Amino acid sequence: MIDLHCHILPGVDDGAASEEESCMMARTAVESGVSAIAATPHCNVPNQFDNYPDADLAGRFRRFSQMLRQQEIPLTVYPGMEVYVTADLPALIEKRKILTLAGSRYLLIEFGFDAPAIFMHDMLHAVMSLGLVPVIAHPERYYCVQDEHELLFRWAEQGSVLQINKGSLFGMFGRHAAQTAYWSLAEGCVHLVGSDAHSPFRRTPRLEEARDCISQFNCPEIADFLLQDNPQHIINNDPVQPVFAEF
């Protein structure tokens, strides 16, 4: 399996607090069947995290990969970030102040949970107009989506990629997020499942739990499609498809 949303890079956001915790998360991921992961620190979060690309951040990615090799943890790490969407995101993209997933054209983004749908629509269009494909992190957690599930179909048909969180399947983010996550699985308007892991103790990168859940809810083929096939397509910078277009 491949996890394209994980806060495993140590000491940069509210994820892994230390190199020790990062290595614990990496071992947990590998034990659960994850072979590759995108380290996606929070970026552009007002008054919390900047994490714009610079020499320091690049050095942290390199050191983390070296640490995994030294400790013989068989996990491939790709650079990325989870970019909080503000009105100046297009300018940040043009100034190359963000990192895409594994250097591809796919950009992992998150909105404020109470962001209005019209703002989301406008910003998704702006990202795509600059040649990138928005990967919308945990759309099941956004209030407007919980109120209007059909937004997911609209965004998928317009070219955005939808990534639900493992934790949403188990009620970690509340009843409405869980209901929306299962609706998206039932209707097929989802492309990826990510751990959005922040810790080796809670919100972990143990993805076999999600695979088992989706296999029972849908089928093993859909679980593989969401946890292996589409993530690999993103790493390869190839097109992805929602479940409804494939099954």
Side-chain angles (χ1 to χ4, degrees), residues 63-83:
R63 286 194 296 276
F64 180 51
S65 293
Q66 292 168 356
M67 184 171 56
L68 294 181
R69 288 194 296 270
Q70 291 168 355
Q71 299 203 22
E72 298 183 341
I73 301 173
L75 182 68
T76 301
V77 177
Y78 295 98
M81 52 181 44
E82 181 184 18
V83 183

Side-chain angles (χ1 to χ4, degrees), residues 27 128 143 152 157 187 208 219 221:
R27 291 191 182 94
M128 287 187 280
Y143 303 150
L152 299 180
E157 290 168 351
E187 296 296 327
E208 92 278 8
C219 65
E221 290 77 14

Side-chain angles (χ1 to χ4, degrees), residues 35-57:
S35 60
I37 210 163
T40 54
H42 287 293
C43 171
N44 194 46
V45 184
N47 303 315
Q48 291 189 43
F49 308 110
D50 291 332
N51 285 325
Y52 302 118
D54 59 14
D56 177 69
L57 188 64

Side-chain angles (χ1 to χ4, degrees), residues 17-191:
S18 64
E19 293 183 351
E20 180 182 7
E21 284 196 2
S22 294
C23 286
M24 291 173 66
M25 291 174 69
R27 291 191 182 94
T28 295
V30 169
E31 290 168 1
S32 76
V34 175
S35 60
I37 210 163
T40 54
H42 287 293
C43 171
N44 194 46
V45 184
N47 303 315
Q48 291 189 43
F49 308 110
D50 291 332
N51 285 325
Y52 302 118
D54 59 14
D56 177 69
L57 188 64
R60 288 177 181 270
F61 279 114
R62 285 195 303 271
R63 286 194 296 276
F64 180 51
S65 293
Q66 292 168 356
M67 184 171 56
L68 294 181
R69 288 194 296 270
Q70 291 168 355
Q71 299 203 22
E72 298 183 341
I73 301 173
L75 182 68
T76 301
V77 177
Y78 295 98
M81 52 181 44
E82 181 184 18
V83 183
Y84 189 89
V85 178
T86 56
D88 61 347
L89 176 59
L92 292 174
I93 293 172
E94 291 180 322
K95 294 176 182 177
R96 301 183 182 275
K97 296 288 287 182
I98 53 88
L99 294 177
T100 58
L101 293 169
S104 69
R105 67 182 183 275
Y106 292 93
L107 177 65
L108 182 66
I109 62 173
E110 69 167 334
F111 292 95
F113 295 125
D114 59 351
I118 186 62
F119 173 75
M120 293 181 171
H121 174 80
D122 289 346
M123 297 310 297
L124 293 172
H125 177 76
V127 171
M128 287 187 280
S129 70
L130 292 170
L132 298 181
V133 179
V135 179
I136 306 174
H138 43 65
E140 74 280 3
R141 298 181 66 189
Y142 303 135
Y143 303 150
C144 66
V145 175
Q146 293 172 3
D147 291 338
E148 186 182 352
H149 293 167
E150 286 74 15
L151 285 169
L152 299 180
F153 277 122
R154 186 186 311 168
W155 293 339
E157 290 168 351
Q158 290 171 346
S160 292
V161 173
L162 308 174
Q163 175 259 304
I164 64 173
N165 274 8
K166 177 193 79 170
S168 295
L169 301 174
F170 302 101
M172 182 171 289
F173 305 109
R175 175 171 55 90
H176 296 298
Q179 289 174 342
T180 306
Y182 280 104
W183 183 91
S184 71
L185 285 174
E187 296 296 327
C189 53
V190 60
H191 301 78

